Amino acid sequence: MGPRRPVQGSELSYQPVSIDGEAEWEGSCDLQGFSGTSHARQSLPSSTSSSLSPCCDSGTIMAFGALGVLNNMPYVIMLAAAKSISEGGTALVYLANVVPGLIVKISAPYWFDRVSYRRRLWTASLLMGTAFVLVGLCSRESIDESSSQTVSSRTYGQLLGVALMSVQCGLGEASLLALAGGMDAAALTAFSSGTGVAGPAGYLWKIVLTSSLGWSLRRIAYTAILLPILYAGIYQRCIEPILRGDAGDVVPEYDTSQLEGPSIRDRRPETDVPLVPGETTGLGEELQVVDRSRSTCDNDTSREDCTNGSDASQDPLFTVPIASMTGTQRFHRVLSLWRYIVPLFTVYAAEYVCQAGVWTALGFPVSNAASRNHAYQTANACYQTGVLVSRSSGNCFRLSLVWLWILPGLQIVNLVFFTYVAANAPDADTEGGRWFWYYTPTVLYGAAVGTGLLGGGVYIHGYQRVVADSTRKDHCEFALSSVSVAEGLGVGFADILSLWWQSCLYKANNLAGAVVSCPF
């Protein structure tokens, strides 16, 4: 059966096209979107009666949750193993674990649309496995440390492994955020929740295997090779079939010039809108089409969403297909996302200054190194609990853009509170500060949970706002990948700033061990 023309008299209705015997739908409703395979084939689901998205059943949503855990867990394992990798240079480990991934996210808007999800995520799997192998091969148990040159080579080899893991995390997170957000809100929440689980899971992996089983870093790294195998397997088994609609391998580019009627690339941008299947899916029946740029005020859409959609539909920067944009246009499109990037950057910068700088100067009492170490680990555990809870809240409610800006402000207040408490910590003579209502484990650890709640809340609801305010699928996926750079920028900025923040707090409490000198 040859391909059919679009329905005459309606530029927003399209008919099925047969390719290799399978019923395909020619239009803009492709799940590859911003993935470099803009003409990927997608079989139409037989029913849309499910409460979930047709392409996101419960199994798929669980798969996105698992991918969230597996994508970020190696990053956390490397942070937990920082002292084992380089005893005197943990800051180098932190930088190696942040900077390469940040570079990937900064560059993503300029090349992600040319590389398919399949290639990106398989590359991420290979990078994860290679990183664990490098860290294991260059561990102390694998190399004779009698030579200083050998020790230096070992450290550099492990730092290279950490850097590869950073690239994997950045590549995987930016890709999966775009993929999940382009499919279904529940998938985006599941992935976000999975990244929240990755924090405690990564630390437990390192702590349990080291403290309880007495395993070396080499053995821990080699055992963790199981993670990239699971990562690739879940993607291939659960996500890849959706992208190709169970109709064979995804074809990155097939020649549309031989098809009757205008090709997808030749259609005007304003007509290239997402398609939503009707309740029946017979091959001879039309599809129900929703032009989101013209119907953003329908149903339960908020006034804010309506306003954003109307404004975007008038700006060519929001209507030109991403694949047709020049580098300059893409740069300006990224800048237009400042309303999401600024809150995410701010909340991450504030919370990581708390983590890497302020909490190192807390203890009961603060003068005792063992007490400070215990307080630091406990505060981080409470923080991870808060992150897990708030990143799982995407299905419960959705924050407005105003609240998305208020939460980072509250995080800054939180940072000021912790800084004041740490700078005025009681000494050992007051028995750990029982005379100070604010310097108690209950108050400080509770505030640490709040730090995680604020950070995780801005994470999931920031990305959900990107999806809600987008009027085109390719722009939505582009925006999700681009906004994710704010996390890396915030963390990198905080890691550097925390060196001096910690130094000044150590100076205020007459503590030794700061890497840099306080300038005040």
Side-chain angles (χ1 to χ4, degrees):
M1 182 177 75
R4 301 182 183 178
R5 295 178 181 273
V7 178
Q8 297 298 325
S10 174
E11 293 180 326
L12 295 179
S13 299
Y14 299 97
Q15 290 291 332
V17 178
S18 176
I19 300 178
D20 297 336
E22 293 287 336
E24 308 295 330
W25 297 88
E26 185 181 7
S28 61
C29 186
D30 65 274
L31 291 177
Q32 287 295 92
F34 179 53
S35 66
T37 58
S38 58
H39 300 118
R41 300 179 298 183
Q42 173 64 40
S43 295
L44 192 67
S46 59
S47 174
T48 60
S49 60
S50 173
S51 60
L52 297 173
S53 169
C55 59
C56 284
D57 56 18
S58 59
T60 302
I61 292 173
M62 291 176 63
F64 272 108
L67 288 173
V69 176
L70 294 171
N71 188 81
N72 286 25
M73 188 173 166
Y75 169 86
V76 179
I77 292 175
M78 292 301 174
L79 291 181
K83 281 189 171 294
S84 300
I85 292 174
S86 180
E87 180 67 29
T90 53
L92 289 176
V93 179
Y94 274 67
L95 288 174
N97 211 19
V98 171
V99 175
L102 176 60
I103 294 173
V104 170
K105 290 183 176 181
I106 290 176
S107 64
Y110 307 98
W111 60 273
F112 262 28
D113 61 312
R114 295 177 173 84
V115 183
S116 67
Y117 283 119
R118 176 187 176 89
R119 291 181 179 179
R120 278 185 261 155
L121 293 173
W122 271 99
T123 299
S125 301
L126 293 175
L127 287 172
M128 190 190 303
T130 303
F132 279 127
V133 169
L134 272 175
V135 171
L137 284 175
C138 298
S139 64
R140 293 186 179 93
E141 299 82 9
S142 302
I143 297 179
D144 181 10
E145 299 189 27
S146 59
S147 168
S148 60
Q149 183 177 1
T150 302
V151 174
S152 177
S153 300
R154 173 186 62 79
T155 301
Y156 290 145
Q158 289 185 310
L159 288 176
L160 176 59
V162 174
L164 292 179
M165 195 71 76
S166 177
V167 173
Q168 170 271 315
C169 186
L171 179 63
E173 183 174 30
S175 298
L176 288 169
L177 275 171
L179 181 56
M183 284 188 176
D184 188 85
L188 181 60
T189 299
F191 176 76
S192 174
S193 181
T195 60
V197 174
Y203 276 105
L204 283 175
W205 182 284
K206 173 64 168 59
I207 293 172
V208 170
L209 295 183
T210 301
S211 303
S212 301
L213 300 181
W215 284 15
S216 65
L217 178 60
R218 177 188 183 187
R219 193 170 183 180
I220 291 173
Y222 286 161
T223 304
I225 295 176
L226 173 66
L227 300 182
I229 296 175
L230 291 174
Y231 186 80
I234 292 174
Y235 168 76
Q236 186 65 30
R237 178 68 180 84
C238 302
I239 308 300
E240 178 69 13
I242 299 175
L243 297 181
R244 53 188 170 86
D246 291 322
D249 293 336
V250 176
V251 181
E253 294 288 345
Y254 61 81
D255 186 6
T256 59
S257 62
Q258 298 178 1
L259 301 179
E260 298 181 39
S263 69
I264 297 173
R265 291 187 183 276
D266 292 335
R267 297 190 185 111
R268 296 197 306 273
E270 62 268 20
T271 66
D272 187 10
V273 296
L275 304 180
V276 177
E279 293 187 0
T280 58
T281 58
L283 294 182
E285 299 181 15
E286 295 184 15
L287 289 174
Q288 174 189 355
V289 180
V290 176
D291 186 346
R292 294 177 62 187
S293 66
R294 300 176 187 175
S295 60
T296 54
C297 302
D298 294 342
N299 300 326
D300 298 328
T301 307
S302 66
R303 181 176 299 275
E304 179 182 356
D305 294 343
C306 172
T307 302
N308 289 338
S310 298
D311 293 342
S313 65
Q314 304 299 323
D315 190 344
L317 193 63
F318 294 84
T319 57
V320 175
I322 295 297
S324 302
M325 283 187 173
T326 64
T328 301
Q329 288 176 316
R330 294 181 188 217
F331 178 71
H332 288 137
R333 184 68 178 92
V334 172
L335 292 182
S336 72
L337 300 169
W338 63 271
R339 68 184 65 186
Y340 315 105
I341 293 175
V342 172
L344 197 58
F345 169 84
T346 304
V347 80
Y348 262 79
E351 70 186 67
Y352 271 82
V353 170
C354 285
Q355 270 193 297
V358 183
W359 294 349
T360 62
L362 297 177
F364 306 98
V366 69
S367 56
N368 185 279
S371 295
R372 292 198 306 273
N373 186 55
H374 175 75
Y376 179 78
Q377 292 181 355
T378 305
N380 273 279
C382 292
Y383 162 81
Q384 295 292 349
T385 301
V387 169
L388 173 59
V389 171
S390 59
R391 288 196 179 189
S392 304
S393 66
N395 290 333
C396 301
F397 57 92
R398 189 175 73 187
L399 294 178
S400 67
L401 192 60
V402 173
W403 276 105
L404 196 65
W405 278 73
I406 290 176
L407 294 187
L410 295 177
Q411 193 75 293
I412 293 176
V413 172
N414 206 25
L415 172 60
V416 172
F417 167 74
F418 273 115
T419 302
Y420 174 81
V421 170
N424 296 276
D427 56 30
D429 294 336
T430 59
E431 299 182 9
R434 68 177 184 181
W435 296 340
F436 297 85
W437 67 267
Y438 55 81
Y439 202 91
T440 61
T442 301
V443 172
L444 295 182
Y445 295 154
V449 173
T451 303
L453 288 173
L454 292 171
V458 174
Y459 180 94
I460 176 58
H461 294 286
Y463 289 123
Q464 284 200 335
R465 282 247 56 91
V466 171
V467 175
D469 296 343
S470 298
T471 57
R472 290 178 53 95
K473 180 174 173 56
D474 58 338
H475 280 254
C476 175
E477 298 185 351
F478 176 91
L480 288 168
S481 297
S482 302
V483 170
S484 68
V485 73
E487 303 168 45
L489 287 173
V491 173
F493 175 77
D495 285 343
I496 296 173
L497 186 61
S498 294
L499 293 174
W500 284 272
W501 213 288
Q502 177 186 12
S503 175
C504 291
L505 291 176
Y506 270 36
K507 180 181 178 180
N509 290 284
N510 297 315
L511 301 175
V515 178
V516 299
S517 299
C518 177
F520 304 107

